[in-house]
Amino acid sequence: SMSEQERAFQARIDDGIRIEPKDWMPEAYRKTLIRQISQHAHSEIVGQLPEGNWVTRAPTLKRKSILLAKIQDEAGHGLYLYSAAETLGVSRDELLQALHSGKAKYSSIFNYPTLSWADMGAIGWLVDGSAIINQIPLCRCSYGPYARAMIRVCKEESFHARQGYDIMLALCNGTPEQKAMAQDALNRWWWPSLMMFGPSDAHSVNSAQSSQWRIKLFSNDELRQRMVDQTVPQAEFLGLTIPDPDLKWNEERGHYDFGEIDWQEFHDVLKGNGPCNRERLRTRVKAWDDGAWFREALVAHADKAAAKTQE
Ligand code: FAQ
């Protein structure tokens, strides 16, 4: 049963009042937010790696500048999100330690390889497209710093999605080989993109509590359905085929029906056994280790400056 304090907290949430860092909050609310926001931050940071693979091989100077800008945006998103998590009383070092030791989760989607340039199109179109669908509601979530961070993040994600669709459009209007490359990228990224929304509602252990706290405004399956409904006409416009024989408009529901997700694959990726999990983690740990000299120099410089002001 709820304490008086918890009841008052829930009443504020039900009234749509934002919770701010210095407000009282149940420990479980704090923990849930630290979990979700840090996973989200790690996803942005690890999410730079699949695209980083193509920076040196972008087909034109213009495409390269756009891709670089997108990847830099992702670094920025990671930093806002770590800052939002820090308002809950956890340190960035602790969060990074959890990522580097393999304890913390990040989005399953970033454990897949980027095999061709068309993957840059498919990631922008499908992965950033899914990220927007998930994050627009988060702009209205109950925790102030997280909700506010999402506003700018969503604006940047819509640029990312647009640049991805533009790559797909160029390939689909190109040679038969280019169009085949776009189709191959769609075939490989479609199902992993649907997995981004998390387990089905029946298996989503955190949903009930997160909905009550207005951290989640829509369920995993509702957002997944929204992604399918939005993306099918876009694929039709490109002249591409979604790799799902069960995909079919359902007049009665007013939505597309679609096939069963391979949940075994999803769980394998979450357990660390996706195609690129080990490589992604190794790359992040190496980047952290390679930066040790710079962090030490910053501390030494700060110590010297502090000593000087004491003289
Ligand atoms: N991957 O009970 P639920 C981006 C875990 S977008 C890995 O349903 P919840 C932009 C879940 O954590 C991607 N793990 O959990 C970009 C939980 O485990 P836990 C990041 C997943 O939290 C684009 C367990 O399964 N976006 O980075 C996944 O209520 C392009 C049970 O699940 C966000 O993080 C998954 N796909 O709902 C960057 C958005 N799905 O923690 C670069 C914020 C579920 O209990 C390039 N997050 N799990 O051990 C959320 O909205 C939620 O956390 C969900 C999961 C919807 C992801």
Side-chain angles (χ1 to χ4, degrees), residues 35-36 39-41 43-44 47-48 51 70 74 77 105-110 123 127-128 131 134-135 138 146 157 160 195-199 203-207 210 216 220 266 270:
R35 175 182 66 78
Q36 177 166 328
Q39 286 175 0
H40 195 167
S43 301
E44 296 282 356
Q48 296 178 96
E51 293 172 306
K70 176 186 195 296
E74 285 152 10
H77 299 174
K105 288 196 173 77
Y106 57 85
S107 183
S108 51
I109 193 75
F110 303 117
I123 288 178
V127 176
D128 289 271
N134 167 273
Q135 287 167 16
L138 290 175
Y146 192 29
E157 299 290 22
H160 299 168
M195 293 175 195
M196 285 177 72
F197 295 91
H203 294 100
S204 169
V205 290
N206 301 306
S207 275
S210 288
K216 260 185 163 164
N220 296 0
F266 176 72
L270 257 62

Side-chain angles (χ1 to χ4, degrees), residues 1-309:
S1 72
M2 277 194 203
S3 69
E4 207 40 58
Q5 216 166 14
E6 277 172 323
R7 236 189 304 277
F9 174 84
Q10 186 62 49
R12 288 185 67 193
I13 289 190
D14 295 342
D15 285 346
I17 298 171
R18 285 272 165 78
I19 306 303
E20 296 298 337
K22 288 180 178 162
D23 295 340
W24 183 86
M25 59 184 81
E27 269 319 296
Y29 177 82
R30 186 186 301 279
K31 267 179 102 172
T32 293
L33 279 170
I34 292 173
R35 175 182 66 78
Q36 177 166 328
I37 299 173
S38 64
Q39 286 175 0
H40 195 167
H42 299 326
S43 301
E44 296 282 356
I45 298 299
V46 177
Q48 296 178 96
L49 301 176
E51 293 172 306
N53 189 31
W54 283 90
V55 171
T56 57
R57 289 173 287 164
T60 67
L61 179 61
K62 190 174 144 197
R63 292 289 185 197
K64 179 167 174 153
S65 318
I66 296 169
L67 184 62
L68 273 172
K70 176 186 195 296
I71 295 171
Q72 287 176 359
D73 286 349
E74 285 152 10
H77 299 174
L79 299 182
Y80 307 150
L81 287 162
Y82 284 129
S83 298
E86 283 177 309
T87 65
L88 292 156
V90 64
S91 77
R92 197 170 298 208
D93 281 348
E94 285 171 76
L95 298 178
L96 290 175
Q97 173 56 33
L99 175 66
H100 297 160
S101 66
K103 210 180 105 212
K105 288 196 173 77
Y106 57 85
S107 183
S108 51
I109 193 75
F110 303 117
N111 293 304
Y112 290 85
T114 45
L115 305 179
S116 80
W117 171 254
D119 289 15
M120 299 303 96
I123 288 178
W125 174 33
L126 304 173
V127 176
D128 289 271
S130 298
I132 295 171
I133 290 171
N134 167 273
Q135 287 167 16
I136 290 278
L138 290 175
C139 297
R140 294 186 285 121
C141 79
S142 61
Y143 190 56
Y146 192 29
R148 288 188 290 273
M150 282 303 112
I151 294 170
R152 175 166 173 174
V153 168
C154 285
K155 285 181 183 163
E156 292 178 347
E157 299 290 22
S158 57
F159 153 61
H160 299 168
R162 192 65 190 77
Q163 69 87 39
Y165 197 72
D166 191 63
I167 291 173
M168 296 304 277
L169 204 52
L171 292 172
C172 291
N173 288 330
T175 64
E177 288 81 2
Q178 286 173 319
K179 184 149 186 193
M181 213 163 85
Q183 180 65 56
D184 174 62
L186 172 57
N187 293 348
R188 286 179 292 104
W189 289 95
W190 175 253
W191 291 105
S193 297
L194 293 190
M195 293 175 195
M196 285 177 72
F197 295 91
S200 70
D201 293 350
H203 294 100
S204 169
V205 290
N206 301 306
S207 275
Q209 183 60 76
S210 288
S211 306
Q212 195 189 337
W213 281 331
R214 285 180 68 84
I215 294 168
K216 260 185 163 164
L217 299 170
F218 298 95
S219 79
N220 296 0
D221 286 334
E222 282 170 337
L223 295 176
R224 192 170 7 248
Q225 180 73 61
R226 201 173 284 182
M227 188 279 191
V228 173
D229 290 347
Q230 167 181 308
T231 310
V232 172
Q234 295 170 347
E236 279 168 4
F237 185 79
L238 293 171
L240 296 178
T241 307
I242 304 237
D244 178 357
D246 297 324
L247 185 76
K248 195 166 171 276
W249 178 252
N250 183 325
E251 190 64 53
E252 213 173 294
R253 291 203 308 126
H255 292 291
Y256 283 92
D257 289 336
F258 55 97
E260 186 65 22
I261 288 173
D262 181 350
W263 293 113
Q264 187 56 50
E265 176 179 326
F266 176 72
H267 291 298
D268 287 344
V269 175
L270 257 62
K271 268 190 264 155
N273 298 321
C276 300
N277 293 62
R278 283 171 196 80
E279 181 187 332
R280 298 291 182 244
L281 210 55
R282 210 183 313 121
T283 308
R284 281 314 313 158
V285 170
K286 183 177 184 308
W288 177 254
D289 291 345
D290 287 351
W293 69 273
F294 187 73
R295 292 190 300 276
E296 283 160 20
L298 281 176
V299 172
H301 178 74
D303 287 349
K304 259 193 202 167
K308 242 189 204 150
T309 55

